[in-house]
Amino acid sequence: MNNISREYLISILKKGKRVDSRQLDELRNVEISYDVSEHAEGAARVKLGNTEVVAGVKLEVGTPFPDSPDEGVIIVGVETLPLSNPDFESGPPNAESIELARVVDRAIRESHAIDLKKLCIEKKEKVWMILIDIYSINDQGNLQDAAALAALAALKKAKMPSFDGEKVNYKEKKGSLPMNELPVECTNIKVHDKILSDPILDEQIWLDARLTVATTDKGEVCAMQKGGSGTLTINDVKEMIKISLKNGKILRGKLK
Amino acid sequence: MSYTKRNDGRKFDQIREIEAKVGIIKSADGSAMFKIGKTIAIAAVHGPRDLYPKFMQNPRKGILRCNYNMMSFSVDERIRPGPSRRSKEISLVTENALLPALSLEQFPNAVVDVFIEIQQADAGTRCAGICAASMALADAGIPMKDLVCAISVGRVGGKILVDLDKFEEDYEEGSTDMPVAMLPRKDEISLLQIDGHIKPEEIEEALELAKKSCKKILEIQRNALKEKYEKEYGQDE
């Protein structure tokens, strides 16, 4: 997979160009479709260029956490399937896939994208649990943004199954999830002294630092995650937030 | 009471509608999607590549490693992600279903990894997985003696039929599921399982039905492969 050298990548970037001839702050083509699984309460497929992920939402009735007895539960999992990248291995989630999931989770939770109080059925006893599972299908870079967008698209599409106090009836669906916000995530990386949006693998493998910024409809930031072993300056961070707000609008537009 | 009319109106020897596509995952060396009715399987092949840990290597020929998995949202009741006893068993029988078609002598010490994901399930997932995997192996350019075609046959409410859907698999008045994989060139069976009661003569009848259906599947698999390669390399005269 490791195709180009760092020196070559930097030489192209110095000319203000990218390997796939995009602008530095330009996203790849974004496609969202919904033909994933009829058994999911909501599901979506997101393609960012050649990167592809699918996300599915399942709803179950369970007991709330003791510290939030009247709120529904959200659990996000990311499976970096070995099918999607020759470097991925089978087995329990590794640090990278846990980070992917937690950053998706954080944006949804912190933006209050879902009104969890409305998912309470019986205080301390029964609440709806939203289980979001995201699978990588083809990893050509930036799984993070694809995963976040897919989760959001699946949530937006989700229909609630009916519950008679005893059993969930998955055949009978009514109403959508109580959603308030669409927190989209945008990742920028820094290579040498250049900032690139929506990196492909060839760029991502040479990153010095990475910043994922989740933004809301109101133009606020609701989550951030820095990655990579290098550093960012305050100006880098400002620049990356600015780009993320701009690109976030484009991604959010695809959800409408 | 016997099962006189199929739930979805099909004839007893009629398989569900199939859609097949090759080359769906660019990061993989070979890949394919196989959809039969509402069951959707995708498969990707990585390799031949070096096999680690080293003691697992076979100096005489390459090994095949299959991994079958159902996505958590592929069914009504969510499946916990990660391997289960069921998925491990299916991975194993899938390996055995595919191996007879492969020539791995050219790849000593290497492994060919096959990953199968069930995206949406309406019964017959292991068969759909095998169909997808066999196309993905061909797409990856692994030397093969034949494609592998798989279909489930069985007995539902006393009737022998092909390609059970979930309703038929769960049929309350008795259902026997019998997944079969074949190498159609010589009608060799490479996978055969039976789940339920069935008489020996009924097995024979079911196998004939499987054989007939595998030919139809082969046609679809071939066309899907042709579609990709004719596009890439142009048609023969």
Side-chain angles (χ1 to χ4, degrees):
Chain A
M1 295 304 288
N2 186 346
N3 293 327
I4 66 170
S5 70
R6 182 174 169 90
E7 289 67 35
Y8 178 64
L9 176 61
I10 291 172
S11 74
I12 293 180
L13 293 175
K14 276 190 175 153
K15 293 181 202 147
K17 289 182 187 158
R18 290 177 77 168
V19 253
D20 57 2
S21 72
R22 267 185 294 159
Q23 299 293 314
L24 294 182
D25 64 349
E26 192 181 340
L27 296 170
R28 285 171 290 177
N29 190 33
V30 189
E31 266 178 59
I32 305 178
S33 57
Y34 298 94
D35 58 334
V36 178
S37 172
E38 287 177 12
H39 298 292
E41 274 62 81
R45 178 190 311 276
V46 164
K47 287 187 188 166
L48 272 183
N50 283 329
T51 290
E52 181 177 343
V53 304
V54 296
V57 171
K58 289 297 296 172
L59 290 171
E60 286 174 1
V61 173
T63 39
F65 292 116
D67 59 346
S68 52
D70 60 344
E71 286 185 4
V73 173
I74 303 177
I75 299 170
V76 181
V78 171
E79 296 281 312
T80 47
L81 296 179
L83 138 158
S84 64
N85 182 328
D87 294 334
F88 291 166
E89 285 173 13
S90 307
N94 57 13
E96 283 70 33
S97 66
I98 292 170
E99 185 188 34
L100 280 169
R102 289 182 59 86
V103 175
V104 172
D105 180 284
R106 200 171 308 154
I108 295 169
R109 200 176 294 279
E110 298 308 323
S111 66
H112 304 287
I114 294 166
D115 191 342
L116 293 177
K117 291 239 185 320
K118 287 191 181 150
L119 296 177
C120 179
I121 301 167
E122 192 187 336
K123 199 174 168 180
K124 285 189 197 167
E125 299 293 330
K126 285 189 185 117
V127 297
W128 283 107
M129 306 181 73
I130 305 177
L131 303 144
I132 308 170
D133 290 299
I134 303 159
Y135 294 83
S136 64
I137 302 295
N138 195 28
D139 177 19
Q140 298 278 333
N142 199 9
L143 283 178
Q144 183 73 65
D145 297 358
L149 191 61
L152 219 51
L155 283 170
K156 199 159 176 274
K157 206 76 179 172
K159 291 273 173 284
M160 311 262 301
S162 67
F163 179 67
D164 61 6
E166 289 279 321
K167 251 192 109 172
V168 179
N169 182 355
Y170 290 103
K171 301 281 177 237
E172 209 179 278
K173 306 224 170 123
K174 44 151 205 201
S176 307
L177 285 169
M179 286 188 79
N180 306 319
E181 278 286 353
L182 294 172
V184 295
E185 296 188 351
C186 292
T187 297
N188 287 280
I189 62 165
K190 189 179 178 187
V191 183
H192 196 57
D193 58 353
K194 297 286 187 215
I195 291 172
L196 320 181
S197 299
D198 184 23
I200 57 172
L201 275 187
D202 275 337
E203 297 166 338
Q204 192 172 302
I205 49 172
W206 297 120
L207 68 84
D208 295 311
R210 180 191 77 209
L211 188 70
T212 301
V213 180
T215 56
T216 64
D217 320 21
K218 300 186 189 85
E220 290 168 348
V221 173
C222 59
M224 269 213 278
Q225 176 90 341
K226 187 253 168 191
S229 53
T231 58
L232 295 170
T233 65
I234 293 176
N235 273 334
D236 291 336
V237 175
K238 278 191 197 161
E239 180 65 19
M240 286 176 169
I241 292 175
K242 207 174 99 192
I243 298 169
S244 299
L245 281 165
K246 170 183 82 79
N247 285 342
K249 257 189 204 147
I250 299 173
L251 293 180
R252 199 171 293 110
K254 302 278 178 187
L255 288 169
K256 299 267 159 73
Chain B
M1 211 189 80
S2 78
Y3 191 55
T4 50
K5 209 164 167 250
R6 287 184 87 165
N7 168 45
D8 57 3
R10 273 184 291 153
K11 294 188 201 121
F12 291 103
D13 64 350
Q14 189 182 355
I15 50 180
R16 291 173 287 181
E17 199 173 313
I18 296 175
E19 231 182 279
K21 211 174 166 209
V22 170
I24 55 161
I25 297 168
K26 290 204 173 64
S27 308
D29 296 311
S31 59
M33 182 278 296
F34 189 89
K35 177 176 180 198
I36 180 160
K38 286 186 175 176
T39 294
I40 305 173
I42 58 175
V45 172
H46 289 283
R49 58 182 178 182
D50 292 343
L51 173 59
Y52 296 104
K54 252 186 153 166
F55 71 84
M56 284 173 70
Q57 294 182 354
N58 181 342
R60 270 188 290 278
K61 61 176 193 173
I63 72 160
L64 176 72
R65 198 161 52 180
C66 291
N67 194 304
Y68 163 101
N69 183 51
M70 287 179 87
M71 291 184 173
S72 60
F73 47 76
S74 61
V75 287
D76 280 341
E77 296 273 342
R78 175 177 182 265
I79 300 170
R80 230 183 118 102
S84 63
R85 290 166 63 88
R86 176 180 176 272
S87 71
K88 282 184 180 167
E89 191 230 38
I90 295 181
S91 299
L92 178 71
V93 295
T94 299
E95 254 165 46
N96 292 334
L98 295 168
L99 266 175
L102 302 178
S103 303
L104 297 176
E105 293 78 10
Q106 299 172 34
F107 313 113
N109 300 328
V111 62
V112 174
D113 272 312
V114 176
F115 300 101
I116 298 166
E117 292 288 331
I118 306 301
Q119 182 183 311
Q120 177 170 277
D122 186 17
T125 60
R126 75 193 65 187
C127 292
I130 290 168
C131 290
S134 134
M135 290 159 64
L137 285 161
D139 182 35
I142 310 289
M144 291 170 84
K145 298 171 193 130
D146 204 349
L147 280 167
V148 183
C149 311
I151 191 77
S152 83
V153 285
R155 193 177 88 143
V156 176
K159 275 274 184 197
I160 300 298
L161 45 76
V162 70
D163 191 18
L164 288 72
D165 63 14
K166 190 82 188 119
F167 173 86
E168 291 173 332
E169 212 177 75
D170 299 341
Y171 193 65
E172 20 188 70
E173 284 161 58
S175 170
T176 302
D177 180 27
M178 182 173 145
V180 180
M182 292 184 105
L183 280 61
R185 199 182 293 271
K186 289 186 183 162
D187 297 325
E188 294 166 306
I189 296 170
S190 64
L191 170 129
L192 180 59
Q193 297 178 293
I194 292 182
D195 218 1
H197 293 276
I198 187 163
K199 294 190 197 99
E201 57 271 25
E202 288 175 327
I203 295 180
E204 222 170 286
E205 189 187 338
L207 282 176
E208 280 303 319
L209 197 51
K211 186 174 122 184
K212 215 173 75 185
S213 308
C214 281
K215 305 270 185 212
K216 288 183 196 151
I217 292 171
L218 175 68
E219 207 45 46
I220 295 162
Q221 289 174 305
R222 264 199 196 135
N223 286 340
L225 283 158
K226 271 192 199 155
E227 201 178 308
K228 176 180 170 188
Y229 288 95
E230 281 180 354
K231 223 180 271 168
E232 268 175 36
Y233 301 107
Q235 248 167 302
D236 297 339
E237 352 265 281

